[in-house]
């Protein structure tokens, strides 16, 4: 087993990984930027190394500084968390070259899923249904029009290198494409350094269902059921839950088998998530695979009573999946919501100092927080303060617990999305499990 792990991340996920390491008796090294001096994740770790100024390119994405920090502290492995370098296959390769274990899949598997166009081709080879659309890059607006007519409007222009819902454009007509194509290409190129676009059929109000897979280096691959992440804003998840009210055991096994088939074809190792769209007709289509730990992983942990971060570490150290994991059954319902520092009216980040932050931990509630009272939420990073997860014997029990917790949380000094989260959880359609990706627009706008 590893002796010392460097966590190349910040906020709640760095703290989450440090906690798993402590449980396993592994020493921890935090890294931090100028803005994060004295942050909670730095205080939690056994050691901490400054890796650069506040902008992410100079600190949390600074590969040289992070590898140097691992070498200087004698860390034998690096956990990348999510975001930042977690899906960067070059970084994983650099770790290997430096003799440091990267806690995640092989660079090859990451690279194969890193391009959405390539991923669609591989999923198809694995026998996984993919969203109807183009299987190669679309070079020009004229080509896009021709292909969109074949697919049938509405279509979605998507970035092959995309993530975080950025750069997606819905087109309902030839004119829409001709008007938006060049701009979308430019925007995507500047954001991801790769302007490659492709087309997918645009489904109206599907559900977002994703399957958690876990694979060891001894060819064992399992899935831990689904998470539903349909409650989104600007294609970004806000509330996630498991099980989904739309998935019965037959569908779960079909979707699970598809996700496992893809993982096997990739010789995938570690934890990963295969994302699908589920239509009202119960047809599911592959969207993409995230080759890392997801923000919403605690939902699965609460439902299956397992520790996915611990398994990531064990798998990276060469251990086999244990019987406790292979035989784990979904015994509860869990709902997670993401707490953001944001202005609910302008829907923009609301940085500032949290002069008050009271978070009672009620029974059945799990808090994954990156900050505490007195901390400053800076404009340099994602404005997520943390996650609140409630579990119960039934969906209704989990929902009630989450509402009770959110009602008691007190934040002062910054604005948050707490009122919005409560409106979602109390919405009659949510109560009935009538969720889809257009939920916010349909019921809360
Ligand atoms: P990203 O990697 O940018 O997050 P995804 O492909 O994972 O992009 O999609 C994010 C969200 O965008 C989905 O959960 C869904 O709400 C919406 N979406 C993506 N593709 C489609 C599609 N073909 N039809 C309808 N909605 C889609």
């Amino acid at each position: 087993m590893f002796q010392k792990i460097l966590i190349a991340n910040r906020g709640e996920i760095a703290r989450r990984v440090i906690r798993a390491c402590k449980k396993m008796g592994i020493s921890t090294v935090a890294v931090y930027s100028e803005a994060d001096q004295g942050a909670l994740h730095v205080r939690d770790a056994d050691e901490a190394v400054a890796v650069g100024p506040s902008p992410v390119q100079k600190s949390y994405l600074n590969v040289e500084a992070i590898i140097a920090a691992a070498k200087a502290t004698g860390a034998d492995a690096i956990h990348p968390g999510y975001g930042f370098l977690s899906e960067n296959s070059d970084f994983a390769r650099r770790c290997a070259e430096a003799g440091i274990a990267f806690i995640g899949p092989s660079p090859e598997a990451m690279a194969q899923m890193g391009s959405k166009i390539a991923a669609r081709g591989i999923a198809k080879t694995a026998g996984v249904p993919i969203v109807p659309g183009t299987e190669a890059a679309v070079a020009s607006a004229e080509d896009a029009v021709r292909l969109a007519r074949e697919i049938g409007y509405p279509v979605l222009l998507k970035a092959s290198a995309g993530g975080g819902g950025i750069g997606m454009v819905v087109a309902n007509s030839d004119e829409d494409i001709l008007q938006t194509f060049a701009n979308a290409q430019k925007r995507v190129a500047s954001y991801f350094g790769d302007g490659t676009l492709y087309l997918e059929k645009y489904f109206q109000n599907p559900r977002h269902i994703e399957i958690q897979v876990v694979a060891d280096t001894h060819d064992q691959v399992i899935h831990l059921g689904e998470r539903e992440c349909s409650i989104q804003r600007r294609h970004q998840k806000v509330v996630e839950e498991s099980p989904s009210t739309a998935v019965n055991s037959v569908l779960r096994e079909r979707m699970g088998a598809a996700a496992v088939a893809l993982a096997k074809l990739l010789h995938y190792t570690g934890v990963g998530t295969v994302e699908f769209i589920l239509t009202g007709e119960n047809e599911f289509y592959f969207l993409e695979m995230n080759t890392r730990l997801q923000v919403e992983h605690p939902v699965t942990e609460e439902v299956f009573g397992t520790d996915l971060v611990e398994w990531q570490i064990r798998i990276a150290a060469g251990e086999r999946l244990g019987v406790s994991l292979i035989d784990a059954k979904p015994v509860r319902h869990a709902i997670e919501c993401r707490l953001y520092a944001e202005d609910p009216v302008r829907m923009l980040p609301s940085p500032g100092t949290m002069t008050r932050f009271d978070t009672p931990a009620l029974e059945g509630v799990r808090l994954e927080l990156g900050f505490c009272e007195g901390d400053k939420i800076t404009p340099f990073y994602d404005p997520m303060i943390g996650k609140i997860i409630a579990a119960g014997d039934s969906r209704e029990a989990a929902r009630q617990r989450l509402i009770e917790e959110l009602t008691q949380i007190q934040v002062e000094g910054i604005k948050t999305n707490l009122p919005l989260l409560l409106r979602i959880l109390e919405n009659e359609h949510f109560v009935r499990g009538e969720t889809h990706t257009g939920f916010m627009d349909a019921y809360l706008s």
Side-chain angles (χ1 to χ4, degrees):
M1 185 39 71
F2 305 119
Q3 302 294 308
K4 193 187 268 192
I5 294 179
L6 179 141
I7 298 95
N9 217 301
R10 65 186 294 280
E12 66 89 18
I13 195 60
R15 303 190 70 206
R16 165 74 187 91
V17 176
I18 291 168
R19 210 167 68 225
C21 292
K22 285 200 170 146
K23 187 172 93 178
M24 298 171 76
I26 299 169
S27 308
T28 52
V29 183
V31 294
Y32 62 96
S33 68
E34 256 166 38
D36 280 342
Q37 273 180 36
L40 276 183
H41 79 277
V42 175
R43 283 183 258 160
D44 284 356
D46 298 313
E47 290 169 75
V49 182
V51 285
S54 306
V56 289
Q57 292 294 346
K58 299 199 164 135
S59 50
Y60 296 106
L61 292 178
N62 185 341
V63 171
E64 301 304 325
I66 288 171
I67 303 251
K71 282 188 178 164
T73 52
D76 45 8
I78 293 184
H79 193 302
Y82 54 68
F84 294 139
L85 296 167
S86 62
E87 292 182 289
N88 183 325
S89 54
D90 289 337
F91 176 65
R93 272 195 200 97
R94 287 292 312 279
C95 290
E97 284 161 17
I100 300 162
F102 174 83
I103 300 176
S106 69
E108 292 74 29
M110 286 164 77
Q112 282 179 297
M113 293 294 105
S115 146
K116 291 199 187 196
I117 294 177
R120 281 162 60 76
I122 296 166
K124 201 174 168 189
T125 307
V128 177
I130 60 174
V131 178
T134 58
E135 281 166 43
V138 178
S140 66
E142 290 68 34
D143 280 354
V145 165
R146 184 173 49 78
L147 293 160
R149 287 183 184 168
E150 279 172 26
I151 297 164
Y153 286 105
V155 296
L156 193 57
L157 264 178
K158 286 177 91 166
S160 185
I166 293 150
M168 278 187 228
V169 184
V170 181
N172 289 300
S173 63
D174 294 358
E175 293 73 48
D176 279 358
I177 292 190
L178 294 170
Q179 270 173 21
T180 53
F181 192 89
N183 261 345
Q185 212 167 28
K186 254 190 244 155
R187 180 149 186 259
V188 164
S190 78
Y191 212 94
F192 301 108
D194 170 2
T196 309
L197 296 178
Y198 71 104
L199 288 176
E200 279 184 4
K201 180 164 189 56
Y202 181 67
F203 287 101
Q204 305 280 3
N205 301 339
R207 296 199 191 217
H208 173 115
I209 307 284
E210 58 187 35
I211 301 286
Q212 176 71 58
V213 294
V214 189
D216 65 16
T217 51
H218 308 275
D219 292 329
Q220 294 191 96
V221 188
I222 60 155
H223 74 83
L224 293 176
E226 81 283 6
R227 290 183 291 261
E228 173 164 350
C229 317
S230 301
I231 310 291
Q232 304 180 350
R233 205 161 68 189
R234 299 189 203 105
H235 305 298
Q236 287 192 35
K237 301 159 187 171
V238 182
V239 175
E240 302 103 341
E241 66 178 312
S242 183
S244 161
T245 56
V247 178
N248 62 21
S249 57
V250 175
L251 182 58
R252 180 170 304 121
E253 279 326 303
R254 280 177 56 218
M255 296 184 79
V260 166
L262 176 58
K264 281 193 170 156
L265 185 70
L266 288 168
H267 299 292
Y268 194 85
T269 53
V271 310
T273 298
V274 184
E275 297 191 333
F276 297 97
I277 265 179
L278 179 70
T279 69
E281 286 74 46
N282 267 2
E283 279 158 0
F284 63 88
Y285 299 99
F286 172 79
L287 271 182
E288 66 165 344
M289 180 171 190
N290 289 324
T291 54
R292 53 169 166 82
L293 191 69
Q294 299 274 98
V295 175
E296 58 273 20
H297 75 276
V299 164
T300 301
E301 294 183 326
E302 292 306 312
V303 169
F304 282 83
T306 186
D307 183 333
L308 289 172
V309 178
E310 182 176 341
W311 278 111
Q312 283 190 296
I313 296 169
R314 291 195 182 283
I315 292 164
E319 281 190 26
R320 289 173 182 275
L321 300 188
V323 181
S324 66
L325 183 71
I326 294 170
D327 290 344
K329 296 277 176 290
V331 290
R332 296 201 293 175
H333 195 104
I335 311 177
E336 170 182 284
C337 57
R338 302 186 186 192
L339 180 64
Y340 280 99
E342 75 176 18
D343 183 328
V345 179
R346 296 187 305 146
M347 293 189 186
L348 289 173
S350 167
T353 300
M354 286 198 290
T355 49
R356 180 170 180 205
F357 190 29
D358 277 350
T359 50
L362 302 179
E363 201 200 320
V365 172
R366 168 171 165 186
L367 299 169
E368 295 287 351
L369 304 173
F371 306 91
C372 63
E373 190 167 289
D375 277 354
K376 199 170 166 185
I377 310 291
T378 69
F380 296 106
Y381 315 110
D382 184 272
M384 192 173 82
I385 300 166
K387 308 171 312 207
I388 300 119
I389 306 103
D393 291 338
S394 65
R395 182 172 189 266
E396 187 52 22
R399 191 184 72 88
Q400 290 290 354
R401 277 186 172 152
L402 194 48
I403 289 175
E404 209 177 318
E405 176 74 26
L406 294 184
T407 311
Q408 292 189 32
I409 290 179
Q410 302 285 335
V411 191
E412 283 169 21
I414 55 162
K415 298 197 168 93
T416 74
N417 66 337
L418 264 175
L420 175 69
L421 295 173
L422 279 165
R423 282 176 66 209
I424 293 169
L425 295 170
E426 285 167 347
N427 181 278
E428 57 180 313
H429 297 276
F430 186 85
V431 174
R432 292 201 291 267
E434 295 163 1
T435 47
H436 55 76
T437 57
F439 182 93
M440 300 274 242
D441 287 339
Y443 311 128
L444 292 179
S445 60

